[in-house]
Amino acid sequence: MNPTISPTNSRMSVVDALRGFALMAIVLLHSIEHYNLFHTPEWQPQWLSGLDSAVTDVVWFLLAGKAYATFSLLFGFSFYIQMRNARLRGVDFRLRFAWRMLLLAGFAQLHALFYNGDILLFYAVCGLILIPASSWSNRTVLIVAGILLLQPIDWIHMLTAHFSPDYIDTNSRFVAFAASAEQTAMNGNLLQTLSNNIINGQLYSNFWQVEAGRICQTPALFLLGMWLGRNEMFVKSQRSMRFWQRTLLLSLLAFGPLYLLKTFISPMLSHTTWVSHFGIALGLPVNFTLMTIFVSLFVICWFKKGDGYRFQRISITYGRMSLTNYITQSIIGVTLFYNFGLGLFRYSGATISMLIGLGIILLQVWWSNGWLSTHRQGPLEALWKRLTWLSFNRVSNPIATK
């Protein structure tokens, strides 16, 4: 038995394991992308280039957008747990959560120094929707989340272009910042990389996330994660099992038609604005349905086994240290791939890069197991918790947030 898992927190193990698997998928994607340094090595034999193409297609289809969506879903769930625990102790957590998001923005600055694909600042901003939403009814939460998942901003752009053909929006404001960040990563030293990332890197990352549709998708997933927590859908029961089984069935039925619409309609479009936005307006719902398929299967398997299969439980400690592992995997990754480090982007295609990503994961899982065998939380998680409950009136607050 893992010494870090006890009966008192076993009901949360499925969430930690799922979060861990989502983070593992993110590491694999980042590695294949060379951490936003897109480059194909020229030395490779033809057979390896062909394998790279197949690996990229499979990994992108299965993981791209789905890992991030799962991670976001569980962020909303974690908010619910923190809010519930605070209420049980008679404490209003809303202002404290706003402070917690400000702290997350601080962690984002550390992360963004090294990696120009940071999501933490975006999370810190989008997470504020959970403060007013904590008082909404379940029905209102689902309605707002459903509207946001339909990507209304992209449809507004496309409808505007339909009625005003002269309206052009290329949805590519991030490109100029991306070019600067990529060139620095390819050619710059450590100081140049850090200084460029803190400005151009963050503008690149956050403009891209807005233009990629995450400005609607992310708060929607936060809301759904909160709803799942309210309704105890990660707690094994007949009700929760039926919910995940029905979610799996509905997602399977929805995925096919949505995927076919996106695949066959996209090549028929010619207007620049429609070309720029249609893939997002329909692509993100496609990713959402595939994500729900994966999450439903994961939870159903966990519940049927009782407390998860062995292959699922290996990621529990990894998921419990998600903030620490998310930031450190980026620091390790850019040191391996960027010019200021080993510069492996020049020599590694998708296959080799995926193996490097697996190496990063194994290293972090080993370290997570060791750390949590003697500590209750990861180092950054513990710091975040301590700062969250920092008292400004010199009266300590003993509330545990997790």
Side-chain angles (χ1 to χ4, degrees):
M1 182 176 179
N2 192 316
T4 63
I5 306 300
S6 65
T8 58
N9 63 15
S10 61
R11 60 178 288 178
M12 295 299 299
S13 296
V14 62
V15 175
D16 290 327
L18 186 57
R19 185 185 293 112
F21 268 102
L23 182 54
M24 289 177 182
I26 288 172
V27 174
L28 292 180
L29 286 166
H30 287 177
S31 297
I32 289 177
E33 297 171 342
H34 301 148
Y35 288 79
N36 280 351
L37 212 174
F38 302 94
H39 177 82
T40 302
E42 299 176 356
W43 66 270
Q44 295 189 154
Q46 186 173 359
W47 69 266
L48 185 53
S49 295
L51 181 59
D52 283 349
S53 179
V55 167
T56 300
D57 290 343
V58 171
V59 171
W60 271 82
F61 177 77
L62 293 177
L63 303 181
K66 296 81 177 176
Y68 170 86
T70 304
F71 210 63
S72 302
L73 188 75
L74 299 180
F75 183 93
F77 175 81
S78 295
F79 165 80
Y80 164 76
I81 295 299
Q82 294 158 359
M83 178 70 75
R84 182 201 64 185
N85 290 347
R87 281 177 175 169
L88 288 174
R89 293 166 174 83
V91 175
D92 188 342
F93 187 65
R94 289 173 294 181
L95 287 178
R96 189 68 65 169
F97 182 76
W99 167 243
R100 186 171 172 83
M101 291 300 94
L102 183 61
L103 293 171
L104 184 62
F107 284 115
Q109 301 313 301
L110 168 65
H111 185 232
L113 278 172
F114 295 91
Y115 176 46
N116 53 48
D118 170 70
I119 64 168
L120 299 180
L121 181 60
F122 197 68
Y123 269 29
V125 175
C126 291
L128 296 176
I129 193 176
L130 292 168
I131 297 175
S134 64
S135 61
W136 296 350
S137 68
N138 282 339
R139 183 172 181 270
T140 300
V141 169
L142 290 179
I143 290 173
V144 174
I147 292 172
L148 291 173
L149 285 174
L150 293 175
Q151 299 299 318
I153 293 176
D154 293 286
W155 285 107
I156 289 172
H157 281 291
M158 290 187 289
L159 290 174
T160 302
H162 175 75
F163 292 107
S164 302
D166 292 337
Y167 175 73
I168 302 295
D169 184 83
T170 61
N171 206 32
S172 58
R173 294 166 185 83
F174 72 92
V175 171
F177 306 112
S180 174
E182 186 175 41
Q183 285 300 313
T184 303
M186 292 178 66
N187 304 299
N189 57 34
L190 177 59
L191 183 59
Q192 290 169 331
T193 301
L194 298 179
S195 60
N196 187 271
N197 276 346
I198 201 63
I199 300 174
N200 290 314
Q202 289 211 66
L203 290 172
Y204 165 27
S205 173
N206 289 288
F207 267 114
W208 180 85
Q209 291 187 88
V210 169
E211 294 178 325
R214 290 183 175 180
I215 190 66
C216 290
Q217 184 196 48
T218 303
L221 291 167
F222 288 175
L223 292 173
L224 291 178
M226 182 181 70
W227 183 90
L228 291 172
R230 284 182 178 181
N231 290 275
E232 297 191 326
M233 291 307 173
F234 288 113
V235 180
K236 184 180 179 180
S237 66
Q238 290 185 347
R239 178 170 173 264
S240 61
M241 180 63 86
R242 285 197 301 269
F243 169 80
W244 290 112
Q245 290 171 339
R246 291 171 181 170
T247 299
L248 175 61
L249 177 60
L250 291 174
S251 299
L252 287 169
L253 292 174
F255 174 74
L258 287 172
Y259 182 76
L260 291 174
L261 281 172
K262 177 180 178 294
T263 301
F264 289 107
I265 293 179
S266 293
M268 300 169 58
L269 301 176
S270 58
H271 193 286
T272 300
T273 303
W274 275 78
V275 171
S276 302
H277 288 275
F278 183 79
I280 295 169
L282 210 58
L284 266 64
V286 169
N287 284 343
F288 174 77
T289 57
L290 195 53
M291 180 273 291
T292 56
I293 290 171
F294 292 156
V295 172
S296 299
L297 284 171
F298 190 95
V299 177
I300 290 170
C301 289
W302 186 283
F303 285 169
K304 285 193 172 182
K305 180 63 176 176
D307 201 16
Y309 287 90
R310 187 172 182 178
F311 80 89
Q312 294 177 301
R313 295 183 62 81
I314 61 174
S315 64
I316 291 175
T317 56
Y318 196 63
R320 285 183 60 194
M321 288 177 49
S322 56
L323 178 63
T324 298
N325 285 325
Y326 176 68
I327 291 178
T328 55
Q329 61 87 21
S330 293
I331 295 174
I332 295 170
V334 298
T335 302
L336 292 174
F337 288 109
Y338 282 16
N339 183 72
F340 77 80
L342 298 183
L344 294 183
F345 78 92
R346 298 184 179 90
Y347 316 108
S348 55
T351 306
I352 296 175
S353 297
M354 185 178 68
L355 294 175
I356 293 172
L358 286 171
I360 295 173
I361 291 170
L362 290 174
L363 175 65
Q364 289 193 304
V365 168
W366 170 79
W367 185 66
S368 297
N369 287 334
W371 182 273
L372 290 179
S373 67
T374 56
H375 299 78
R376 295 186 62 184
Q377 291 181 301
L380 293 186
E381 287 77 11
L383 176 62
W384 195 15
K385 175 183 174 181
R386 181 178 292 274
L387 293 176
T388 295
W389 293 103
L390 185 68
S391 178
F392 298 100
N393 58 6
R394 297 185 180 181
V395 177
S396 61
N397 194 323
I399 291 179
T401 59
K402 291 189 70 175

